[in-house]
Amino acid sequence: MLVGTPIGNLDDLTPRAAAALATADVIACEDTRRTGRLLAHLGIAAPKLLVANDHTEAEVAPDVVERIAAGQKVAVVTDAGMPGISDPGELLVRATLDAGFTVEVVPGPSALDTALVLSGLPAGRFCFEGFLPRKGSARRARLETIALEQRTVLLYEAPHRVHRTVGDLRDVCGDDRQIAILRELTKLHEEHWRGSLADADAMLDDRSPRGEYVLVVAGAEPPVSADDATLLAALEAERAAGRSTRDAVAEVAQRFGEPHRRVYDLAILD
């Protein structure tokens, strides 16, 4: 059973979640100290706690399945929020389902949903990128994908990396792309900030970020399709420069972001 836990304010734990924890035979958790404090707050005598974090989840999955097979009730929690969303839980769910058992979910608070509705950005269509890769080609590729994404994009980020990530987003998305930066959601020092990526970069220059961050980035504007006359003029200019029809089509299609077939059809009809 996956149990959503508070992302900051302990009063956000639902009665159903509290009952699930109180009746569990075993609780798989990221940090026994954090979960122990939550159970103490609820007045629940701690059952057996298994550590299922990023390093141990795969190792404890067989144990969890064996306990379920033996009739034990296993609850899975993370330090905050819903297990499996940028937190351990996915491997435990997969192992349980593969073994033929059902998985129950007790919903709870989510930083993802909370940030999205607080951002003021379109929430009808969005995508969640979680934590970006920290460096290298994988990070560049994800940033370039975000720059072209037309849906609202949500990311999680640690305080010591948030300034760098905002700067990298500014590089690929441009100064004017809008962003909402939300910190310490549901906690005493919750903060919301909204503006352009350029202003966000400058704002973070003057801060020593603390707490957990959610970044909500506005989607890219849909590309404006070039009309036939513009494409034909560009094709003519490429040919005049000595390019073959094939090379001219490739160049114009790439420059305007138009389908190769459309530009080719114009070229052969010209």
Side-chain angles (χ1 to χ4, degrees):
M1 176 185 299
L2 303 182
V3 181
T5 55
I7 57 177
N9 190 325
L10 293 179
D11 290 338
D12 289 339
L13 190 79
T14 67
R16 184 182 170 205
L21 296 177
T23 57
D25 298 302
V26 179
I27 297 178
C29 59
E30 277 191 277
D31 186 322
T32 57
R33 293 167 299 179
R34 290 282 293 272
T35 300
R37 287 196 292 270
L38 175 62
L39 295 174
H41 172 77
L42 297 171
I44 297 173
K48 181 172 180 58
L49 299 179
L50 297 177
V51 177
N53 57 32
D54 290 335
H55 306 291
T56 65
E57 184 180 5
E59 297 174 10
V60 303
D63 185 15
V64 167
V65 172
E66 287 180 10
R67 291 175 182 277
I68 294 172
Q72 293 187 13
K73 181 178 179 181
V74 180
V76 179
V77 300
T78 58
D79 288 347
M82 178 57 64
I85 305 296
S86 287
D87 271 330
E90 180 180 335
L91 297 181
L92 297 180
V93 169
R94 189 180 309 156
T96 302
L97 295 176
D98 288 347
F101 299 106
T102 58
V103 176
E104 184 179 353
V105 174
V106 180
S110 166
L112 173 67
D113 296 346
T114 304
L116 178 62
V117 297
L118 280 173
S119 71
L121 294 171
R125 298 178 68 241
F126 64 91
C127 63
F128 176 55
E129 287 287 340
F131 289 94
L132 293 177
R134 296 187 183 183
K135 58 184 178 181
S137 60
R139 182 178 178 89
R140 288 194 299 274
R142 287 274 290 280
L143 287 164
E144 289 168 1
T145 298
I146 290 170
L148 298 175
E149 176 59 62
Q150 295 180 32
R151 296 170 293 178
T152 300
V153 179
L154 290 97
L155 305 99
Y156 288 164
E157 195 50 278
H160 59 284
R161 292 194 299 267
V162 68
H163 195 178
R164 175 192 171 207
T165 293
V166 167
D168 288 347
L169 287 167
R170 179 184 180 185
D171 289 341
V172 296
C173 297
D175 288 352
D176 297 331
R177 185 80 65 91
Q178 295 296 294
I179 184 173
I181 300 176
L182 303 106
R183 184 182 79 89
E184 296 289 82
L185 291 171
T186 77
K187 299 180 184 178
L188 180 63
H189 300 292
E190 177 177 316
E191 287 186 326
H192 315 154
W193 186 95
R194 299 170 184 82
S196 69
L197 280 168
D199 288 342
D201 203 5
M203 178 271 293
L204 290 169
D205 277 337
D206 300 325
R207 295 202 175 193
S208 298
R210 295 180 181 179
E212 299 302 316
Y213 282 78
V214 184
L215 308 179
V216 189
V217 184
E221 292 292 332
V224 177
S225 182
D227 58 28
D228 288 357
T230 299
L231 296 176
L232 285 169
L235 285 167
E236 183 178 346
E238 292 297 324
R239 285 166 168 166
R243 290 182 181 266
S244 66
T245 295
R246 177 180 176 180
D247 290 344
V249 167
E251 170 63 26
V252 172
Q254 180 178 15
R255 187 192 315 164
F256 289 93
E258 293 292 334
H260 187 278
R261 184 68 193 183
R262 181 190 175 200
V263 180
Y264 175 77
D265 287 346
L266 287 171
I268 62 175
L269 290 174
D270 183 26

Short mmCIF file of all heavy atoms in Angstrom, two decimals, residues 111-164:
data_model
loop_
_atom_site.label_atom_id
_atom_site.label_comp_id
_atom_site.label_asym_id
_atom_site.label_seq_id
_atom_site.Cartn_x
_atom_site.Cartn_y
_atom_site.Cartn_z
N ALA A 111 3.60 17.96 -3.85
CA ALA A 111 4.24 19.23 -4.22
C ALA A 111 3.97 19.56 -5.68
O ALA A 111 3.86 20.74 -6.05
CB ALA A 111 5.74 19.15 -3.95
N LEU A 112 3.88 18.54 -6.51
CA LEU A 112 3.63 18.72 -7.94
C LEU A 112 2.31 19.44 -8.17
O LEU A 112 2.25 20.49 -8.82
CB LEU A 112 3.65 17.35 -8.61
CG LEU A 112 3.25 17.28 -10.08
CD1 LEU A 112 4.28 18.00 -10.94
CD2 LEU A 112 3.13 15.81 -10.51
N ASP A 113 1.23 18.89 -7.65
CA ASP A 113 -0.10 19.49 -7.84
C ASP A 113 -0.20 20.86 -7.17
O ASP A 113 -0.76 21.81 -7.73
CB ASP A 113 -1.18 18.58 -7.27
CG ASP A 113 -1.27 17.25 -7.99
OD1 ASP A 113 -0.68 17.13 -9.08
OD2 ASP A 113 -1.90 16.33 -7.45
N THR A 114 0.35 20.96 -5.97
CA THR A 114 0.27 22.21 -5.22
C THR A 114 0.96 23.35 -5.96
O THR A 114 0.42 24.45 -6.09
CB THR A 114 0.90 22.03 -3.83
OG1 THR A 114 0.26 20.94 -3.15
CG2 THR A 114 0.76 23.29 -2.99
N ALA A 115 2.16 23.06 -6.48
CA ALA A 115 2.90 24.09 -7.20
C ALA A 115 2.20 24.48 -8.49
O ALA A 115 2.16 25.66 -8.86
CB ALA A 115 4.31 23.58 -7.50
N LEU A 116 1.66 23.51 -9.20
CA LEU A 116 1.02 23.79 -10.48
C LEU A 116 -0.14 24.76 -10.31
O LEU A 116 -0.25 25.76 -11.04
CB LEU A 116 0.54 22.49 -11.12
CG LEU A 116 -0.20 22.63 -12.46
CD1 LEU A 116 0.71 23.24 -13.52
CD2 LEU A 116 -0.73 21.27 -12.91
N VAL A 117 -1.01 24.49 -9.34
CA VAL A 117 -2.18 25.36 -9.20
C VAL A 117 -1.83 26.71 -8.59
O VAL A 117 -2.56 27.69 -8.77
CB VAL A 117 -3.29 24.66 -8.38
CG1 VAL A 117 -3.77 23.41 -9.09
CG2 VAL A 117 -2.82 24.31 -6.97
N LEU A 118 -0.71 26.78 -7.87
CA LEU A 118 -0.27 28.05 -7.30
C LEU A 118 0.49 28.92 -8.30
O LEU A 118 0.64 30.12 -8.09
CB LEU A 118 0.63 27.81 -6.08
CG LEU A 118 -0.04 27.47 -4.76
CD1 LEU A 118 1.01 27.09 -3.73
CD2 LEU A 118 -0.86 28.66 -4.26
N SER A 119 0.98 28.31 -9.36
CA SER A 119 1.88 29.02 -10.27
C SER A 119 1.19 30.11 -11.08
O SER A 119 1.82 31.08 -11.50
CB SER A 119 2.53 28.03 -11.24
OG SER A 119 1.58 27.54 -12.18
N GLY A 120 -0.10 29.95 -11.32
CA GLY A 120 -0.80 30.88 -12.19
C GLY A 120 -0.58 30.60 -13.66
O GLY A 120 -1.11 31.31 -14.53
N LEU A 121 0.19 29.57 -13.99
CA LEU A 121 0.44 29.19 -15.38
C LEU A 121 -0.58 28.15 -15.82
O LEU A 121 -1.22 27.50 -14.98
CB LEU A 121 1.86 28.65 -15.52
CG LEU A 121 2.96 29.68 -15.27
CD1 LEU A 121 4.33 29.02 -15.21
CD2 LEU A 121 2.95 30.77 -16.35
N PRO A 122 -0.79 27.97 -17.13
CA PRO A 122 -1.81 27.03 -17.60
C PRO A 122 -1.64 25.63 -17.01
O PRO A 122 -0.55 25.07 -17.04
CB PRO A 122 -1.59 27.03 -19.12
CG PRO A 122 -1.01 28.38 -19.41
CD PRO A 122 -0.13 28.69 -18.24
N ALA A 123 -2.72 25.09 -16.48
CA ALA A 123 -2.68 23.79 -15.82
C ALA A 123 -3.45 22.72 -16.57
O ALA A 123 -3.50 21.57 -16.13
CB ALA A 123 -3.22 23.92 -14.40
N GLY A 124 -4.06 23.10 -17.71
CA GLY A 124 -4.84 22.12 -18.46
C GLY A 124 -3.98 21.02 -19.07
O GLY A 124 -4.41 19.86 -19.16
N ARG A 125 -2.78 21.37 -19.49
CA ARG A 125 -1.83 20.41 -20.06
C ARG A 125 -0.45 20.75 -19.49
O ARG A 125 0.00 21.88 -19.59
CB ARG A 125 -1.81 20.46 -21.59
CG ARG A 125 -3.12 20.11 -22.25
CD ARG A 125 -3.05 20.23 -23.77
NE ARG A 125 -2.18 19.21 -24.35
CZ ARG A 125 -1.07 19.47 -25.05
NH1 ARG A 125 -0.68 20.73 -25.22
NH2 ARG A 125 -0.35 18.50 -25.55
N PHE A 126 0.18 19.76 -18.90
CA PHE A 126 1.50 20.00 -18.31
C PHE A 126 2.31 18.73 -18.35
O PHE A 126 1.79 17.64 -18.58
CB PHE A 126 1.37 20.51 -16.87
CG PHE A 126 0.76 19.52 -15.91
CD1 PHE A 126 1.54 18.63 -15.20
CD2 PHE A 126 -0.63 19.48 -15.74
CE1 PHE A 126 0.98 17.71 -14.32
CE2 PHE A 126 -1.20 18.56 -14.86
CZ PHE A 126 -0.39 17.68 -14.15
N CYS A 127 3.62 18.86 -18.14
CA CYS A 127 4.49 17.69 -18.05
C CYS A 127 5.43 17.87 -16.85
O CYS A 127 5.75 18.99 -16.46
CB CYS A 127 5.28 17.45 -19.33
SG CYS A 127 6.43 18.76 -19.77
N PHE A 128 5.83 16.74 -16.29
CA PHE A 128 6.67 16.74 -15.09
C PHE A 128 8.03 16.17 -15.45
O PHE A 128 8.13 15.04 -15.93
CB PHE A 128 6.00 15.90 -14.01
CG PHE A 128 6.81 15.75 -12.75
CD1 PHE A 128 7.26 16.86 -12.06
CD2 PHE A 128 7.11 14.48 -12.26
CE1 PHE A 128 8.00 16.72 -10.90
CE2 PHE A 128 7.85 14.33 -11.10
CZ PHE A 128 8.30 15.45 -10.42
N GLU A 129 9.09 16.95 -15.20
CA GLU A 129 10.45 16.53 -15.54
C GLU A 129 11.23 16.04 -14.32
O GLU A 129 12.35 15.57 -14.47
CB GLU A 129 11.20 17.69 -16.19
CG GLU A 129 10.76 18.00 -17.61
CD GLU A 129 11.22 16.95 -18.61
OE1 GLU A 129 12.17 16.20 -18.31
OE2 GLU A 129 10.62 16.87 -19.69
N GLY A 130 10.65 16.17 -13.12
CA GLY A 130 11.37 15.72 -11.93
C GLY A 130 12.65 16.50 -11.73
O GLY A 130 12.72 17.71 -11.95
N PHE A 131 13.71 15.80 -11.31
CA PHE A 131 15.03 16.41 -11.17
C PHE A 131 15.80 16.25 -12.48
O PHE A 131 15.84 15.15 -13.05
CB PHE A 131 15.82 15.74 -10.04
CG PHE A 131 15.31 16.06 -8.67
CD1 PHE A 131 14.40 15.23 -8.04
CD2 PHE A 131 15.74 17.21 -7.99
CE1 PHE A 131 13.93 15.52 -6.76
CE2 PHE A 131 15.27 17.50 -6.73
CZ PHE A 131 14.36 16.66 -6.11
N LEU A 132 16.41 17.32 -12.96
CA LEU A 132 17.22 17.24 -14.17
C LEU A 132 18.51 16.46 -13.89
O LEU A 132 19.02 16.48 -12.76
CB LEU A 132 17.60 18.64 -14.65
CG LEU A 132 16.48 19.53 -15.17
CD1 LEU A 132 17.05 20.90 -15.54
CD2 LEU A 132 15.79 18.90 -16.38
N PRO A 133 19.07 15.82 -14.91
CA PRO A 133 20.43 15.26 -14.75
C PRO A 133 21.37 16.39 -14.33
O PRO A 133 21.21 17.54 -14.74
CB PRO A 133 20.76 14.75 -16.15
CG PRO A 133 19.45 14.50 -16.80
CD PRO A 133 18.52 15.55 -16.25
N ARG A 134 22.36 16.06 -13.54
CA ARG A 134 23.19 17.11 -12.96
C ARG A 134 24.21 17.70 -13.92
O ARG A 134 24.65 18.83 -13.75
CB ARG A 134 23.89 16.58 -11.71
CG ARG A 134 22.91 16.21 -10.61
CD ARG A 134 23.61 15.85 -9.33
NE ARG A 134 22.65 15.43 -8.32
CZ ARG A 134 22.97 15.11 -7.08
NH1 ARG A 134 24.25 15.15 -6.70
NH2 ARG A 134 22.05 14.73 -6.21
N LYS A 135 24.61 16.97 -14.94
CA LYS A 135 25.63 17.50 -15.85
C LYS A 135 25.65 16.69 -17.14
O LYS A 135 24.96 15.69 -17.28
CB LYS A 135 27.01 17.45 -15.19
CG LYS A 135 27.45 16.06 -14.75
CD LYS A 135 28.79 16.12 -14.03
CE LYS A 135 29.21 14.73 -13.55
NZ LYS A 135 30.51 14.77 -12.83
N GLY A 136 26.47 17.18 -18.07
CA GLY A 136 26.75 16.43 -19.28
C GLY A 136 25.67 16.52 -20.34
O GLY A 136 24.75 17.34 -20.29
N SER A 137 25.79 15.64 -21.34
CA SER A 137 24.90 15.65 -22.49
C SER A 137 23.46 15.35 -22.10
O SER A 137 22.52 15.85 -22.73
CB SER A 137 25.39 14.66 -23.54
OG SER A 137 25.43 13.34 -23.01
N ALA A 138 23.26 14.51 -21.08
CA ALA A 138 21.90 14.19 -20.65
C ALA A 138 21.18 15.44 -20.14
O ALA A 138 20.00 15.65 -20.43
CB ALA A 138 21.93 13.12 -19.57
N ARG A 139 21.90 16.28 -19.42
CA ARG A 139 21.30 17.52 -18.92
C ARG A 139 20.99 18.46 -20.09
O ARG A 139 19.90 19.03 -20.16
CB ARG A 139 22.24 18.21 -17.93
CG ARG A 139 21.67 19.49 -17.32
CD ARG A 139 22.63 20.10 -16.30
NE ARG A 139 22.13 21.35 -15.75
CZ ARG A 139 21.37 21.45 -14.67
NH1 ARG A 139 20.98 20.35 -14.05
NH2 ARG A 139 20.97 22.63 -14.21
N ARG A 140 21.92 18.61 -21.01
CA ARG A 140 21.69 19.49 -22.15
C ARG A 140 20.50 19.03 -22.96
O ARG A 140 19.68 19.85 -23.41
CB ARG A 140 22.95 19.55 -23.03
CG ARG A 140 24.11 20.32 -22.41
CD ARG A 140 25.17 20.63 -23.45
NE ARG A 140 25.72 19.42 -24.04
CZ ARG A 140 26.73 18.74 -23.53
NH1 ARG A 140 27.29 19.14 -22.40
NH2 ARG A 140 27.20 17.65 -24.13
N ALA A 141 20.39 17.73 -23.17
CA ALA A 141 19.28 17.20 -23.97
C ALA A 141 17.94 17.49 -23.31
O ALA A 141 16.97 17.88 -23.98
CB ALA A 141 19.46 15.70 -24.19
N ARG A 142 17.87 17.31 -21.99
CA ARG A 142 16.61 17.57 -21.29
C ARG A 142 16.26 19.05 -21.34
O ARG A 142 15.09 19.42 -21.52
CB ARG A 142 16.72 17.09 -19.84
CG ARG A 142 16.71 15.59 -19.67
CD ARG A 142 15.31 15.00 -19.59
NE ARG A 142 14.66 15.36 -18.36
CZ ARG A 142 14.87 14.77 -17.18
NH1 ARG A 142 15.74 13.79 -17.09
NH2 ARG A 142 14.21 15.16 -16.12
N LEU A 143 17.24 19.92 -21.18
CA LEU A 143 16.99 21.35 -21.24
C LEU A 143 16.49 21.77 -22.61
O LEU A 143 15.57 22.59 -22.73
CB LEU A 143 18.27 22.12 -20.88
CG LEU A 143 18.68 22.11 -19.41
CD1 LEU A 143 20.13 22.54 -19.24
CD2 LEU A 143 17.75 23.03 -18.59
N GLU A 144 17.08 21.21 -23.65
CA GLU A 144 16.66 21.54 -25.01
C GLU A 144 15.23 21.06 -25.28
O GLU A 144 14.46 21.72 -25.98
CB GLU A 144 17.64 20.93 -26.02
CG GLU A 144 19.00 21.64 -26.02
CD GLU A 144 20.05 20.87 -26.79
OE1 GLU A 144 19.73 19.80 -27.34
OE2 GLU A 144 21.21 21.34 -26.82
N THR A 145 14.87 19.92 -24.70
CA THR A 145 13.50 19.43 -24.83
C THR A 145 12.52 20.37 -24.13
O THR A 145 11.45 20.68 -24.66
CB THR A 145 13.39 18.02 -24.23
OG1 THR A 145 14.23 17.13 -24.95
CG2 THR A 145 11.96 17.50 -24.30
N ILE A 146 12.89 20.82 -22.94
CA ILE A 146 12.04 21.74 -22.19
C ILE A 146 11.85 23.05 -22.97
O ILE A 146 10.76 23.62 -22.99
CB ILE A 146 12.64 22.01 -20.80
CG1 ILE A 146 12.55 20.75 -19.93
CG2 ILE A 146 11.96 23.20 -20.11
CD1 ILE A 146 13.33 20.83 -18.65
N ALA A 147 12.90 23.52 -23.61
CA ALA A 147 12.81 24.79 -24.35
C ALA A 147 11.75 24.73 -25.45
O ALA A 147 11.11 25.74 -25.75
CB ALA A 147 14.17 25.12 -24.96
N LEU A 148 11.53 23.55 -26.03
CA LEU A 148 10.57 23.41 -27.12
C LEU A 148 9.19 22.95 -26.66
O LEU A 148 8.24 22.99 -27.43
CB LEU A 148 11.11 22.40 -28.15
CG LEU A 148 12.42 22.78 -28.85
CD1 LEU A 148 12.88 21.64 -29.74
CD2 LEU A 148 12.25 24.06 -29.65
N GLU A 149 9.10 22.51 -25.41
CA GLU A 149 7.84 21.97 -24.89
C GLU A 149 6.77 23.06 -24.79
O GLU A 149 7.00 24.11 -24.21
CB GLU A 149 8.08 21.36 -23.50
CG GLU A 149 6.84 20.86 -22.80
CD GLU A 149 6.13 19.79 -23.61
OE1 GLU A 149 6.73 18.72 -23.85
OE2 GLU A 149 4.96 20.03 -23.99
N GLN A 150 5.60 22.80 -25.38
CA GLN A 150 4.54 23.81 -25.39
C GLN A 150 3.63 23.71 -24.17
O GLN A 150 2.82 24.60 -23.93
CB GLN A 150 3.72 23.70 -26.67
CG GLN A 150 4.53 24.04 -27.91
CD GLN A 150 3.74 23.93 -29.19
OE1 GLN A 150 2.52 24.17 -29.21
NE2 GLN A 150 4.40 23.55 -30.27
N ARG A 151 3.73 22.63 -23.42
CA ARG A 151 2.97 22.50 -22.18
C ARG A 151 3.73 23.14 -21.02
O ARG A 151 4.95 23.32 -21.10
CB ARG A 151 2.71 21.03 -21.87
CG ARG A 151 1.85 20.32 -22.89
CD ARG A 151 1.84 18.82 -22.64
NE ARG A 151 3.16 18.23 -22.90
CZ ARG A 151 3.43 16.94 -22.73
NH1 ARG A 151 2.51 16.11 -22.30
NH2 ARG A 151 4.65 16.48 -22.98
N THR A 152 3.03 23.47 -19.95
CA THR A 152 3.68 23.93 -18.74
C THR A 152 4.58 22.82 -18.21
O THR A 152 4.20 21.65 -18.20
CB THR A 152 2.63 24.31 -17.68
OG1 THR A 152 1.80 25.35 -18.21
CG2 THR A 152 3.27 24.78 -16.40
N VAL A 153 5.80 23.17 -17.78
CA VAL A 153 6.79 22.19 -17.34
C VAL A 153 7.06 22.38 -15.85
O VAL A 153 7.29 23.50 -15.40
CB VAL A 153 8.10 22.33 -18.13
CG1 VAL A 153 9.13 21.31 -17.64
CG2 VAL A 153 7.85 22.15 -19.62
N LEU A 154 7.07 21.28 -15.10
CA LEU A 154 7.39 21.33 -13.67
C LEU A 154 8.66 20.56 -13.40
O LEU A 154 8.86 19.47 -13.95
CB LEU A 154 6.25 20.74 -12.83
CG LEU A 154 4.97 21.58 -12.80
CD1 LEU A 154 3.98 21.08 -13.83
CD2 LEU A 154 4.35 21.56 -11.41
N LEU A 155 9.52 21.12 -12.56
CA LEU A 155 10.75 20.46 -12.15
C LEU A 155 10.90 20.57 -10.65
O LEU A 155 10.45 21.54 -10.04
CB LEU A 155 11.97 21.12 -12.80
CG LEU A 155 12.01 21.25 -14.32
CD1 LEU A 155 11.59 22.65 -14.73
CD2 LEU A 155 13.41 20.97 -14.83
N TYR A 156 11.57 19.61 -10.05
CA TYR A 156 12.00 19.69 -8.67
C TYR A 156 13.47 20.08 -8.67
O TYR A 156 14.23 19.72 -9.57
CB TYR A 156 11.86 18.35 -7.96
CG TYR A 156 10.44 17.92 -7.65
CD1 TYR A 156 10.15 16.60 -7.32
CD2 TYR A 156 9.39 18.83 -7.67
CE1 TYR A 156 8.86 16.20 -7.02
CE2 TYR A 156 8.10 18.44 -7.38
CZ TYR A 156 7.84 17.11 -7.05
OH TYR A 156 6.56 16.72 -6.76
N GLU A 157 13.89 20.81 -7.65
CA GLU A 157 15.31 21.16 -7.55
C GLU A 157 15.73 21.37 -6.11
O GLU A 157 14.96 21.85 -5.28
CB GLU A 157 15.61 22.42 -8.38
CG GLU A 157 17.09 22.64 -8.62
CD GLU A 157 17.80 21.39 -9.16
OE1 GLU A 157 18.16 20.53 -8.34
OE2 GLU A 157 17.99 21.30 -10.39
N ALA A 158 16.96 20.99 -5.84
CA ALA A 158 17.55 21.17 -4.51
C ALA A 158 18.03 22.62 -4.37
O ALA A 158 18.36 23.27 -5.37
CB ALA A 158 18.71 20.20 -4.32
N PRO A 159 18.09 23.14 -3.15
CA PRO A 159 18.43 24.55 -2.97
C PRO A 159 19.80 24.94 -3.51
O PRO A 159 19.95 26.03 -4.09
CB PRO A 159 18.36 24.75 -1.45
CG PRO A 159 18.42 23.38 -0.86
CD PRO A 159 17.79 22.48 -1.87
N HIS A 160 20.79 24.06 -3.39
CA HIS A 160 22.13 24.44 -3.83
C HIS A 160 22.30 24.36 -5.35
O HIS A 160 23.33 24.78 -5.88
CB HIS A 160 23.18 23.55 -3.15
CG HIS A 160 23.01 22.08 -3.43
ND1 HIS A 160 22.04 21.32 -2.82
CD2 HIS A 160 23.69 21.25 -4.25
CE1 HIS A 160 22.12 20.07 -3.25
NE2 HIS A 160 23.11 20.01 -4.11
N ARG A 161 21.28 23.85 -6.05
CA ARG A 161 21.36 23.79 -7.52
C ARG A 161 20.34 24.67 -8.22
O ARG A 161 20.34 24.75 -9.45
CB ARG A 161 21.20 22.34 -7.99
CG ARG A 161 22.34 21.41 -7.62
CD ARG A 161 22.28 20.10 -8.41
NE ARG A 161 21.06 19.37 -8.14
CZ ARG A 161 20.93 18.42 -7.21
NH1 ARG A 161 21.96 18.13 -6.43
NH2 ARG A 161 19.79 17.79 -7.03
N VAL A 162 19.44 25.30 -7.45
CA VAL A 162 18.33 25.99 -8.09
C VAL A 162 18.80 27.17 -8.95
O VAL A 162 18.27 27.40 -10.04
CB VAL A 162 17.29 26.44 -7.03
CG1 VAL A 162 17.84 27.52 -6.12
CG2 VAL A 162 16.01 26.90 -7.70
N HIS A 163 19.81 27.92 -8.48
CA HIS A 163 20.27 29.07 -9.25
C HIS A 163 20.87 28.63 -10.58
O HIS A 163 20.60 29.22 -11.64
CB HIS A 163 21.28 29.88 -8.44
CG HIS A 163 21.52 31.24 -8.99
ND1 HIS A 163 22.36 32.16 -8.38
CD2 HIS A 163 21.05 31.87 -10.11
CE1 HIS A 163 22.37 33.27 -9.09
NE2 HIS A 163 21.60 33.13 -10.15
N ARG A 164 21.68 27.59 -10.54
CA ARG A 164 22.28 27.09 -11.78
C ARG A 164 21.20 26.61 -12.75
O ARG A 164 21.27 26.87 -13.96
CB ARG A 164 23.23 25.95 -11.46
CG ARG A 164 23.82 25.29 -12.70
CD ARG A 164 24.50 23.99 -12.38
NE ARG A 164 24.86 23.27 -13.59
CZ ARG A 164 24.98 21.97 -13.66
NH1 ARG A 164 24.78 21.22 -12.59
NH2 ARG A 164 25.30 21.38 -14.79
#
